[in-house]
Structures are given as C-alpha cells and as structure tokens.
Amino acid sequence: DLDMPLEVWKEWVGGIQTWQLACDYLDEQLGKPVDREGLHRRHREMYTALIAELDVMPGVKQLLEDARRTGLRVALASSASAAWAVEHIKRCGLLDYFDVLQTRDDAAKVKPDPEIYRKAVEKLGVKPEETIAFEDSLVGTMAAKAAGLPCVAVPNRVTRLFSFEHADLQLASLADMSLEEIIRTLEQSRAAAQG
C-alpha cells in the first residue's frame, strides 16, 4: 500500500542498481526492512511477463532497416547485461541489425556515465559527432550527451512525463520521422548552433 512517486523513480530509470535503490526507498518509507528476496522473485516474474508481451516500439524496425539500407553501422549501448540485452533484442527479431553490442559486462561504469557510449563509438570506428544516440531514459540521454553524441529522446510510457530538454531532438515515436529526416534535422541544428 505504498506508492513510489515518479519523481523518485525517474532518477533511476535506465540505470542499474534500480532494485537496490527501490528496496532502500521502501525500507525507509516503511520504517522496516522489506523481504528483498521474496519481493525480487515476484518482481522478476512480473517483469518477465510484461516484457514478453511488449512489442517493438513503432518506427524502430524501419529505422534499423533504413540504417542498413544506407550502409550505416549500428551499435547497442546498454547498461543491461549482455545476456539480457541479447535475449531481448533476439526475441524482438532485431539482433541481426546490430554491428556492435556494448553492455555493462565490459564497462567499469554505466549510464549516466558516458563510458558505455564511448566504448560503443570506439568499436564502431567513428567519432561521437558522427553518430546519433536514440534514448528513452534520462540517464541514457545524459550519458550520450556526456560522450559527445547528438541524442534523440524517444520516451517510453513511463519516461514520457519527464523533461528531455538536454536532448537534441525529442520525438513521441520513431515513426514520426524517417532516419533521413532525423539526420537532416540534427545537422541543421548543429549548423545553427555553430552559427
């Protein structure tokens, strides 16, 4: 019977240790320790069931197909474990679109730290300013911007209530603009900023 305010949750979405932070918050609010093992088991069951029902967000597959068609290389830069990330994108039928998978497994720090993005860019063999990060979380957009990448925020059902003013472009859906339009918009913004 305890709500976790979105203002508290938004600081953690997209990062790691979310589980630990949530349990610490519940301990503090309840004034006693929660059954972390039982709560974790129940959470994993619910989370796994919800993830299995989710479909790819609108526009994602088309964007990946456009990137492939135009010869652009694509990296996944995730604070998740490689096992989770690979399982998830494989379930969605998207694994073959990625040239590089950069996860927390071979990073000392995770988002909002820029390390994961820096490593992904290095593995792609490009410069940060030659890439575009697509993010749905605040910690993800902060990591991308700290690594020097132009960033497009595409909030999900939870994060759409947050402010992404630090992103270079915000879309309600990747279906709203083609990859070519996104690239053109970001290039025009960069040119205007350099003025």
Side-chain angles (χ1 to χ4, degrees), residues 65-96:
E65 288 174 358
D66 290 347
R68 177 182 279 170
R69 179 181 44 77
T70 56
L72 297 175
R73 298 188 65 210
V74 177
L76 175 76
S78 175
S79 291
S81 68
W84 187 91
V86 168
E87 179 184 329
H88 184 60
I89 60 177
K90 200 185 270 189
R91 179 189 65 77
C92 294
L94 302 175
L95 184 61
D96 292 339

Side-chain angles (χ1 to χ4, degrees), residues 18-105:
T18 304
W19 178 253
Q20 180 68 36
L21 293 167
C23 285
D24 292 346
Y25 177 84
L26 289 172
D27 287 349
E28 183 181 316
Q29 296 302 307
L30 294 171
K32 62 180 182 178
V34 295
D35 173 13
R36 290 177 186 230
E37 186 178 315
L39 201 55
H40 188 60
R41 186 173 42 255
R42 184 170 170 222
H43 172 265
R44 293 304 300 165
E45 289 168 1
M46 291 172 64
Y47 181 78
T48 302
L50 286 171
I51 288 289
E53 292 176 8
L54 290 178
D55 198 6
V56 178
M57 292 174 71
V60 170
K61 190 165 186 178
Q62 184 62 53
L63 182 122
L64 291 169
E65 288 174 358
D66 290 347
R68 177 182 279 170
R69 179 181 44 77
T70 56
L72 297 175
R73 298 188 65 210
V74 177
L76 175 76
S78 175
S79 291
S81 68
W84 187 91
V86 168
E87 179 184 329
H88 184 60
I89 60 177
K90 200 185 270 189
R91 179 189 65 77
C92 294
L94 302 175
L95 184 61
D96 292 339
Y97 289 100
F98 293 92
D99 301 293
V100 169
L101 298 176
Q102 177 59 55
T103 65
R104 74 174 182 214
D105 292 11

Side-chain angles (χ1 to χ4, degrees), residues 53-185:
E53 292 176 8
L54 290 178
D55 198 6
V56 178
M57 292 174 71
V60 170
K61 190 165 186 178
Q62 184 62 53
L63 182 122
L64 291 169
E65 288 174 358
D66 290 347
R68 177 182 279 170
R69 179 181 44 77
T70 56
L72 297 175
R73 298 188 65 210
V74 177
L76 175 76
S78 175
S79 291
S81 68
W84 187 91
V86 168
E87 179 184 329
H88 184 60
I89 60 177
K90 200 185 270 189
R91 179 189 65 77
C92 294
L94 302 175
L95 184 61
D96 292 339
Y97 289 100
F98 293 92
D99 301 293
V100 169
L101 298 176
Q102 177 59 55
T103 65
R104 74 174 182 214
D105 292 11
D106 62 341
K109 296 180 180 176
V110 296
K111 300 172 186 178
D113 188 273
E115 180 183 0
I116 285 177
Y117 270 111
R118 287 183 179 140
K119 286 186 170 213
V121 167
E122 183 181 319
K123 288 178 182 178
L124 284 172
V126 296
K127 297 176 186 172
E129 62 272 14
E130 297 173 331
T131 65
I132 301 172
F134 293 89
E135 276 290 348
D136 69 346
S137 72
L138 291 175
V139 296
T141 53
M142 292 184 329
K145 293 305 294 175
L149 283 71
C151 185
V152 178
V154 189
N156 61 43
R157 291 187 320 191
V158 175
T159 61
R160 67 184 165 84
L161 303 174
F162 305 155
S163 172
F164 286 90
E165 71 265 355
H166 55 285
D168 298 286
L169 177 63
Q170 182 172 340
L171 300 173
S173 166
L174 284 176
D176 291 348
M177 289 177 96
S178 70
L179 179 58
E180 290 81 5
E181 290 171 316
I182 291 169
I183 292 170
R184 189 170 41 256
T185 300

